[in-house]
Amino acid sequence: MNHDAPAHSSPHHVTSLPVLFGTFAALVVLTIVTVAQARVEGIELGKFEIAVTLAIATLKAGLVAMVFMQLIYDKPFNRVVILSTLVFVALFLSFTIMDTAEYMPDIRNFTLDNPNVE
Amino acid sequence: MTSTSDPHGHGHHRFQAHHFDTGEQQFQAGKLGMWLFLATEVLFFSGMFCAYAVYRSNHPEIFANSSQYLDTWLGAFNTLILLASSLSVAWAVRCAQLNNSAGIVYNLVFTLVCAGVFMGVKSVEYTLKFYEGLWWRSKYVPQIPGQHHDLTQAYADLQNFGLVTLAVGVALVILGYLLAGRNPAGRWTFWALGGSVLGIAVGCLGGNIYTQSKMSHGHTASHGHSDVDHHEAGHDDSSHHAANPPETSTTVPTETTPGDAPATTGGEGSDEADAADVDDAVPTAINPVPLAGDHGADVAQMPPPVVVTPEGPVEFDGLGRKFPGIFFSIYYAMTGVHAVHILIGIGVIVWIVARAAAGHFGSDYYGPVEYVGLYWHLVDLIWIYLFPLLYLI
């Protein structure tokens, strides 16, 4: 590392303030959207609600990881480390809930018996 | 070791370890180590997300029913607070890259205040749930539809806790002036700790005022609405009892007529004496006493049947008494472990503030700022998923 170099010539990416604040603003807007989607009367997404909510959360997580954690400017190997972890998490979750269909008849019966229990 | 070159005259940075060729190599090695640690953290939390996925997919009604006991606005507020703290951490890293030590200190102290506010709001949420009996599975107190808990003591306890933390925070700030003298690292250590404790006080007192005003304000509006929902659900349960007995063996209710007096048990009342001998005593259905100030008209029209077991009344008899507690077991496990991560984060950020105040960090050496920042962003990431999973859907 060159010690004589001026301060701003850091070998690492320096994120500009407009990008940082823009990301923060996007995160706040997405938070408001997800709360409004869940709580405001009249916005009913039905069976898509869980998917939409998790998609918004994943978008927020991506913004934090890519900009705040600077993953987009990071070495590819660091990206491989964290993204391969997500592959194993997906394997873990999908194998564990693989037999969920077994319980669907019970859930359906309960829903038929208690139509007003959401 | 006060100069920037090391005492052996190698010409490298004083914080560069001997087994690294360059500061850059040290930085990248530490960063890879931090990412590997974060990978284990993700896997660690995925165990709890897996428990959530399993119980939610098998008992969707429990999660929909139980999440109404969580306050969406407190959760949303805490989400915004954590996002703001992440912004200031990213800004602190930028300041380190630009040799701005004061910027690191100010940004990270703001992060600590945010972390404190988050914990303060969490203390309000936990305390109110404990007073309402919304414990984890083994201590869970089944909720009676339409019941309003008297939380006067909880509000008083929270106010006392908030005032004590306020005093401790102010004391830490004053101690920083008195004890550390002109040593900036010592002074900022006290002020950073004081900032987090003051944040806890603000979060606790603010959250307490919010929940109290919501209770007194929304007693007739929002709460009344949910009462009606309960009664309708309960009413419908009763019409299905005879045809469709609930699956769980422990909560087989007996049919009672709506006109029964509250204190009178149903047809199986004579079995009550035997109940003590048998583990799974036959529960009986009663109509709860309409509470004072409750919606008398609704109660009279649609009396909700409540299954009473030896452990107490059960909401939505078809669900079984154990199930709502499982949601709260998962809730406390996930938010509790997350809160422990926040507390650990407060500790390491105080350490970074002290070192930044001592002038350790600059564009040629800021690894610890970056690593602690990555850890803090991951804690934020976990909450980004916890908030919608627990509070919204």
Side-chain angles (χ1 to χ4, degrees):
Chain A
M1 190 168 187
N2 186 1
H3 284 272
D4 303 324
H8 57 264
S9 74
S10 164
H12 311 122
H13 180 80
V14 182
T15 312
S16 71
L17 284 182
V19 171
L20 286 181
F21 277 91
T23 308
F24 175 68
L27 289 167
V28 170
V29 168
L30 286 171
T31 304
I32 293 169
V33 166
T34 196
V35 171
Q37 184 269 316
R39 285 293 174 267
V40 173
E41 307 268 337
I43 306 177
E44 296 296 336
L45 298 176
K47 61 180 178 178
F48 298 110
E49 182 178 355
I50 292 176
V52 168
T53 306
L54 287 181
I56 293 175
T58 304
L59 190 56
K60 288 167 70 182
L63 279 176
V64 171
M66 290 302 160
V67 182
F68 284 172
M69 298 172 97
Q70 295 189 324
L71 205 54
I72 201 165
Y73 308 108
D74 213 332
K75 285 181 179 294
F77 191 72
N78 290 345
R79 282 202 291 272
V80 169
V81 166
I82 203 71
L83 293 179
S84 62
T85 307
L86 299 183
V87 172
F88 284 103
V89 169
L91 278 175
F92 179 31
L93 289 177
S94 53
F95 269 99
T96 314
I97 61 175
M98 206 177 252
D99 64 344
T100 298
E102 292 287 313
Y103 304 96
M104 283 306 151
D106 290 346
I107 297 171
R108 202 171 54 239
N109 285 343
F110 178 87
T111 314
L112 290 174
D113 292 349
N114 305 280
N116 284 319
V117 179
E118 286 182 14
Chain B
M1 291 231 290
T2 49
S3 72
T4 49
S5 61
D6 95 321
H8 309 293
H10 294 194
H12 57 63
H13 195 280
R14 63 171 160 152
F15 292 120
Q16 183 187 323
H18 280 274
H19 52 283
F20 289 113
D21 291 335
T22 62
E24 174 67 10
Q25 188 193 30
Q26 176 171 335
F27 176 84
Q28 294 297 349
K31 201 165 176 182
L32 173 61
M34 199 63 209
W35 276 112
L36 287 169
F37 170 65
L38 296 188
T40 66
E41 288 277 278
V42 169
L43 293 170
F44 165 61
F45 271 99
S46 76
M48 280 175 284
F49 281 108
C50 193
Y52 176 94
V54 168
Y55 277 101
R56 191 187 172 102
S57 60
N58 292 350
H59 305 285
E61 73 285 350
I62 307 288
F63 281 73
N65 176 43
S66 298
S67 67
Q68 69 174 313
Y69 295 113
L70 304 184
D71 189 304
T72 306
W73 303 112
L74 286 181
F77 175 77
N78 261 354
T79 306
L80 297 180
I81 282 289
L82 273 197
L83 290 176
S85 75
S86 255
L87 170 70
S88 63
V89 163
W91 196 350
V93 170
R94 180 189 144 87
C95 290
Q97 291 170 324
L98 300 177
N99 289 317
N100 179 2
S101 281
I104 305 176
V105 170
Y106 297 150
N107 272 300
L108 289 185
V109 168
F110 177 78
T111 305
L112 287 168
V113 173
C114 287
V117 171
F118 181 93
M119 292 305 293
V121 172
K122 214 93 209 87
S123 73
V124 172
E125 292 187 88
Y126 275 22
T127 306
L128 293 180
K129 276 178 193 59
F130 294 161
Y131 273 92
E132 288 168 347
L134 297 168
W135 295 88
W136 43 80
R137 161 75 175 83
S138 58
K139 285 191 75 174
Y140 182 78
V141 181
Q143 304 290 301
I144 301 172
Q147 181 184 9
H148 296 291
H149 298 275
D150 179 21
L151 296 170
T152 316
Q153 186 60 39
Y155 294 137
D157 286 359
L158 282 168
Q159 189 171 346
N160 290 338
F161 175 72
L163 291 176
V164 167
T165 46
L166 189 66
V168 171
V170 171
L172 281 168
V173 172
I174 295 171
L175 280 177
Y177 277 106
L178 296 179
L179 295 182
R182 303 194 65 76
N183 169 16
R187 214 163 50 202
W188 277 104
T189 304
F190 277 103
W191 290 348
L193 282 170
S196 4
V197 176
L198 285 176
I200 294 176
V202 169
C204 179
L205 293 172
N208 196 23
I209 291 168
Y210 160 75
T211 45
Q212 280 186 71
S213 66
K214 192 190 70 167
M215 259 304 176
S216 56
H217 186 73
H219 195 87
T220 48
S222 63
H223 241 263
H225 178 66
S226 75
D227 284 352
V228 174
D229 287 347
H230 280 305
H231 295 313
E232 283 170 351
H235 180 65
D236 212 89
D237 281 351
S238 75
S239 64
H240 280 266
H241 280 168
N244 303 294
E247 293 147 32
T248 34
S249 58
T250 48
T251 56
V252 180
T254 52
E255 187 71 45
T256 50
T257 54
D260 274 0
T264 316
T265 52
E268 307 263 359
S270 55
D271 290 342
E272 288 276 278
D274 302 325
D277 305 322
V278 191
D279 274 347
D280 273 344
V282 179
T284 48
I286 61 164
N287 296 314
V289 189
L291 295 164
D294 221 319
H295 313 280
D298 292 345
V299 174
Q301 285 163 13
M302 312 177 222
V306 175
V307 174
V308 176
T309 65
E311 286 79 21
V314 177
E315 180 182 28
F316 295 151
D317 41 15
L319 299 182
R321 67 166 176 268
K322 61 184 176 180
F323 290 139
I326 287 178
F327 173 86
F328 286 99
S329 288
I330 292 174
Y331 166 80
Y332 285 118
M334 297 185 93
T335 59
V337 171
H338 179 266
V340 168
H341 279 77
I342 297 266
L343 291 177
I344 293 170
I346 289 176
V348 288
I349 291 175
V350 167
W351 169 63
I352 295 295
V353 166
R355 287 193 66 185
H360 287 187
F361 301 124
S363 64
D364 50 354
Y365 175 76
Y366 66 95
V369 186
E370 171 94 18
Y371 311 149
V372 168
L374 288 177
Y375 170 82
W376 191 259
H377 293 311
L378 185 93
V379 174
D380 186 23
L381 273 188
I382 301 287
W383 184 259
I384 282 177
Y385 279 100
L386 281 184
F387 167 60
L389 286 177
L390 294 171
Y391 290 77
L392 295 184
I393 57 177

